[in-house]
Amino acid sequence: MSLRILATGGTFDKRYDPIAGTLGFARTHLHVLLRQARIEGAATVQELMQVDSLDMTDAHRRQVLEACAASPEDRIVVIHGTDTLVDTARVLGEARLPRTIVLTGAMVPVDLADSDALFNLGFAAGCARVLPHGVHVAMNAQVFAWDAVRKNRALGVFEPVHATQA
Amino acid sequence: MSLRILATGGTFDKRYDPIAGTLGFARTHLHVLLRQARIEGAATVQELMQVDSLDMTDAHRRQVLEACAASPEDRIVVIHGTDTLVDTARVLGEARLPRTIVLTGAMVPVDLADSDALFNLGFAAGCARVLPHGVHVAMNAQVFAWDAVRKNRALGVFEPVHATQA
Amino acid sequence: MSLRILATGGTFDKRYDPIAGTLGFARTHLHVLLRQARIEGAATVQELMQVDSLDMTDAHRRQVLEACAASPEDRIVVIHGTDTLVDTARVLGEARLPRTIVLTGAMVPVDLADSDALFNLGFAAGCARVLPHGVHVAMNAQVFAWDAVRKNRALGVFEPVHATQA
Amino acid sequence: MSLRILATGGTFDKRYDPIAGTLGFARTHLHVLLRQARIEGAATVQELMQVDSLDMTDAHRRQVLEACAASPEDRIVVIHGTDTLVDTARVLGEARLPRTIVLTGAMVPVDLADSDALFNLGFAAGCARVLPHGVHVAMNAQVFAWDAVRKNRALGVFEPVHATQA
């Protein structure tokens, strides 16, 4: 009955480097977030990589797919950079695994006081608990099928793609 | 397609009073949280009351029920103190409204650095987006039917009530 | 050249207990705060007690006095509840130790998002670095001699006591 | 008896841009920080510019100097990027104004959960309250004369310059 949470990096998990003065990557924040959410027993974190989603390669996406296929839990949340989240959703969606997979991310890194990351993690976990098998994108308090969503980069929000546009 | 979020108070929404040196109530934090979660357009906040759930009366619960019945949105999250959350869930559940109602709360007030409130709000919103009509309790990254859950006060977690105990 | 920081509790160091639903005491936050302030090498924390300053006894104050007298560093910050901070300042002031002692506290516990604790710690540390020997109260970005200050409880601020009132 | 706080930008005041995904500048956070520190009446904020200190020109430094000379308060804190903070301190120091000027900054932007900014602001304010006229650098819970300090960029700390190196 546990959830699996796969960490791949993205804005969600970026970490400030005080010497370099830039946002980069170190280890995932997810263990700390589960403790804060008081759900350490309800979810298992698996850190696959920590990359900006613009730097994600086909090999990275295959690694995510393999982790989903190998997951002992059939309810999975994938933390992902928003820029290519829909691309990874497509790779997962086309594989038609017998799993409920929900991808989410954040527009503001979790270390920032005003981050949307913890809300999005909760929202995705709620969707993962309830949705049937399939691949879904959960952002902006909305849930989309993997083949019916795109990121509007100018606004920084996810929006539905209508059939005529697909 | 919007969510309705009903604020009733509870630990989730407690606010520190620097002069009194105690946690009490003022206005709900939900408007600020929706801005942080970047979903201001996706949910409507309705502040019903701001009370400790131990101080909730039958009149308060009737007010929650009436707000659910009158809601133009059929997907509703109720923010509630955890101590009597299950009691209010029962009042709502027995009314069998044609609504998806998800109750949640927090063990740590949202103003505290280590609060579970934002995660729980996200989790409840995810459940409310996806679940069919009915009354549900969403806590600790789990979702329960209104008549199959209780709060374990010693541990501060919600747990299933098995049929033989019901 | 190091500072000594004595922890006695007070609102500054209160900690939320999720099961009891109240603010109480556990261990001091000062080690974490020094790491955040990036000054772990510049100050030594000594935890004397963790009490509400309304519960401070003469024995507690003697313990603070003895810790100041025994301190290898001659620049000392005392973290104290604000309600009886001035009383402890008097005990320390009348002892006329060859030390620079600066007492401070907070109106909002450090765990709260909107706490004045970290600012006050910094302000008191700045005063302790620069002031000559003597006992001082540092609150509200002002510094007072130990015998020329009182807390205005209605406003929650410290204010000067004029000579005619002393 | 009020302090003047001059905002020039620097890491202290950087702000995350969710659309660009980078740290940049908007308005200073100082008004919000004074409210959090509960000292709105004790200090006046003057926003001169919001720039990375690597982008500071001679014209920018002249503007800081002119603001210090024109300040009705003779106790001044300057919030500045750390990379060229010492250069601006020299411009101010050589002008020998009848003012107490304390420069500080931060290694971690104030919006980050783990920022040193609020501590440093408090520390600099404490020094500015107590020090005589002159120009001082307050970082890492230490205070330096303007002509006896340098930034160690590899470690991200300020350290004394000994006479033989000056």
Side-chain angles (χ1 to χ4, degrees):
Chain A
M1 276 289 292
S2 187
L3 293 172
R4 178 153 298 245
I5 306 182
L6 301 180
T8 73
T11 292
F12 187 105
D13 240 347
K14 279 191 177 166
R15 209 177 273 271
Y16 186 74
D17 177 337
I19 303 300
T22 53
L23 289 160
F25 291 104
R27 303 300 308 271
T28 180
H29 299 73
L30 280 164
H31 305 281
V32 173
L33 295 183
L34 296 195
R35 194 156 59 236
Q36 177 175 347
R38 308 177 72 80
I39 57 163
E40 286 174 288
T44 300
V45 173
Q46 184 178 350
E47 186 172 338
L48 295 180
M49 63 206 72
Q50 285 282 292
V51 298
D52 191 305
S53 80
L54 293 172
D55 297 328
M56 269 221 170
T57 62
D58 288 351
H60 285 128
R61 287 187 229 282
R62 242 184 340 262
Q63 201 182 337
V64 178
L65 176 61
E66 283 160 16
C68 288
S71 170
E73 298 88 3
D74 75 340
R75 301 187 175 279
I76 303 170
V77 171
V78 180
I79 304 299
H80 200 288
T82 59
D83 279 325
T84 70
L85 187 150
V86 172
D87 300 331
T88 301
R90 182 175 311 117
V91 170
L92 300 177
E94 290 174 349
R96 304 193 182 279
L97 299 173
R99 299 276 184 278
T100 298
I101 302 172
V102 180
L103 296 97
T104 195
M107 291 301 291
V108 179
V110 68
D111 279 339
L112 279 145
D114 208 39
S115 173
D116 54 337
L118 191 63
F119 178 89
N120 289 352
L121 177 63
F123 187 81
C127 293
R129 274 280 184 233
V130 178
L131 284 167
H133 287 175
V135 175
H136 316 270
V137 171
M139 284 292 291
N140 309 116
Q142 293 192 275
V143 56
F144 308 92
W146 62 269
D147 56 357
V149 60
R150 68 175 166 208
K151 181 178 174 187
N152 179 327
R153 294 198 186 185
L155 298 180
V157 297
F158 284 68
E159 57 190 20
V161 177
H162 298 297
T164 54
Q165 297 172 299
Chain B
M1 276 288 293
S2 186
L3 293 172
R4 178 154 298 246
I5 306 182
L6 301 179
T8 73
T11 292
F12 187 106
D13 241 347
K14 279 191 177 166
R15 208 177 273 271
Y16 187 73
D17 177 338
I19 303 301
T22 53
L23 288 160
F25 291 104
R27 303 301 306 271
T28 180
H29 298 73
L30 280 165
H31 304 282
V32 173
L33 295 182
L34 295 195
R35 195 156 57 235
Q36 177 175 347
R38 307 177 72 79
I39 58 161
E40 286 175 288
T44 301
V45 173
Q46 184 178 351
E47 186 170 340
L48 295 179
M49 62 206 72
Q50 284 283 291
V51 299
D52 191 305
S53 81
L54 293 172
D55 297 329
M56 268 222 170
T57 63
D58 288 351
H60 284 127
R61 287 187 229 282
R62 235 178 354 255
Q63 201 182 336
V64 178
L65 176 61
E66 283 160 15
C68 289
S71 169
E73 297 88 5
D74 75 340
R75 301 188 174 278
I76 302 170
V77 171
V78 180
I79 304 299
H80 199 289
T82 59
D83 278 327
T84 70
L85 186 151
V86 172
D87 300 332
T88 301
R90 182 176 310 115
V91 171
L92 300 178
E94 290 173 349
R96 302 190 185 280
L97 299 174
R99 298 278 185 277
T100 298
I101 301 172
V102 181
L103 296 97
T104 194
M107 292 301 291
V108 178
V110 68
D111 279 340
L112 279 144
D114 209 39
S115 172
D116 55 338
L118 191 63
F119 178 90
N120 290 350
L121 176 62
F123 187 82
C127 294
R129 274 280 184 230
V130 178
L131 284 166
H133 287 176
V135 174
H136 317 270
V137 170
M139 284 292 291
N140 310 117
Q142 293 192 275
V143 55
F144 307 93
W146 63 267
D147 57 356
V149 60
R150 69 176 165 207
K151 181 180 175 186
N152 179 326
R153 294 200 186 185
L155 298 180
V157 296
F158 283 70
E159 57 190 21
V161 177
H162 299 295
T164 54
Q165 297 172 302
Chain C
M1 277 289 294
S2 187
L3 294 171
R4 179 154 296 246
I5 306 182
L6 301 178
T8 73
T11 292
F12 187 106
D13 241 347
K14 279 191 177 165
R15 210 177 271 272
Y16 186 74
D17 177 338
I19 304 300
T22 54
L23 288 160
F25 291 105
R27 304 301 306 273
T28 179
H29 299 72
L30 279 164
H31 304 283
V32 172
L33 295 182
L34 296 195
R35 196 157 56 237
Q36 177 175 348
R38 306 177 72 80
I39 58 162
E40 286 173 287
T44 301
V45 173
Q46 184 178 351
E47 185 170 339
L48 295 179
M49 63 206 71
Q50 284 283 293
V51 298
D52 191 305
S53 81
L54 293 171
D55 297 329
M56 267 223 170
T57 63
D58 288 351
H60 284 128
R61 288 188 227 282
R62 242 185 339 264
Q63 201 182 336
V64 178
L65 176 61
E66 284 160 15
C68 289
S71 169
E73 298 87 4
D74 75 340
R75 302 188 174 279
I76 302 169
V77 171
V78 180
I79 304 299
H80 200 289
T82 59
D83 279 327
T84 71
L85 187 150
V86 172
D87 300 332
T88 301
R90 182 176 309 115
V91 170
L92 300 178
E94 290 173 348
R96 303 192 183 279
L97 299 173
R99 297 280 185 276
T100 298
I101 302 172
V102 180
L103 296 96
T104 195
M107 292 301 291
V108 178
V110 69
D111 278 340
L112 280 144
D114 208 39
S115 172
D116 55 338
L118 191 63
F119 178 90
N120 290 351
L121 176 62
F123 187 82
C127 293
R129 274 281 184 229
V130 178
L131 284 166
H133 287 174
V135 175
H136 316 271
V137 171
M139 285 292 292
N140 310 116
Q142 292 192 275
V143 55
F144 308 92
W146 63 267
D147 57 356
V149 60
R150 68 177 166 206
K151 181 179 174 187
N152 179 327
R153 294 199 186 186
L155 298 180
V157 296
F158 284 69
E159 57 190 19
V161 177
H162 299 296
T164 54
Q165 297 171 299
Chain D
M1 275 291 292
S2 188
L3 294 171
R4 178 154 297 245
I5 306 182
L6 301 180
T8 73
T11 293
F12 187 105
D13 241 346
K14 279 191 179 168
R15 209 176 272 273
Y16 186 74
D17 177 337
I19 303 300
T22 54
L23 289 160
F25 292 104
R27 303 302 307 272
T28 180
H29 299 72
L30 280 164
H31 305 282
V32 172
L33 294 182
L34 296 195
R35 194 155 61 235
Q36 177 175 348
R38 307 177 71 80
I39 58 163
E40 286 174 289
T44 301
V45 173
Q46 184 178 350
E47 186 172 339
L48 296 179
M49 63 205 71
Q50 285 282 291
V51 297
D52 191 305
S53 80
L54 293 172
D55 297 328
M56 268 223 170
T57 62
D58 288 351
H60 285 128
R61 288 188 228 283
R62 244 186 336 265
Q63 201 182 339
V64 178
L65 176 61
E66 283 160 16
C68 288
S71 169
E73 298 88 4
D74 75 340
R75 300 186 176 279
I76 302 169
V77 171
V78 180
I79 304 299
H80 200 289
T82 59
D83 279 325
T84 70
L85 186 150
V86 172
D87 300 330
T88 301
R90 183 176 309 117
V91 170
L92 300 178
E94 290 174 348
R96 304 194 181 279
L97 299 173
R99 299 279 185 276
T100 298
I101 301 172
V102 181
L103 296 98
T104 195
M107 291 302 291
V108 179
V110 69
D111 278 340
L112 279 144
D114 208 39
S115 172
D116 54 338
L118 191 63
F119 178 89
N120 289 352
L121 177 63
F123 187 82
C127 293
R129 275 281 184 231
V130 177
L131 284 166
H133 287 174
V135 175
H136 316 270
V137 171
M139 284 292 291
N140 309 117
Q142 292 192 276
V143 56
F144 308 92
W146 62 269
D147 56 356
V149 61
R150 68 175 167 208
K151 181 178 175 187
N152 179 327
R153 294 199 186 185
L155 298 180
V157 297
F158 284 69
E159 58 191 19
V161 177
H162 300 297
T164 54
Q165 297 172 298

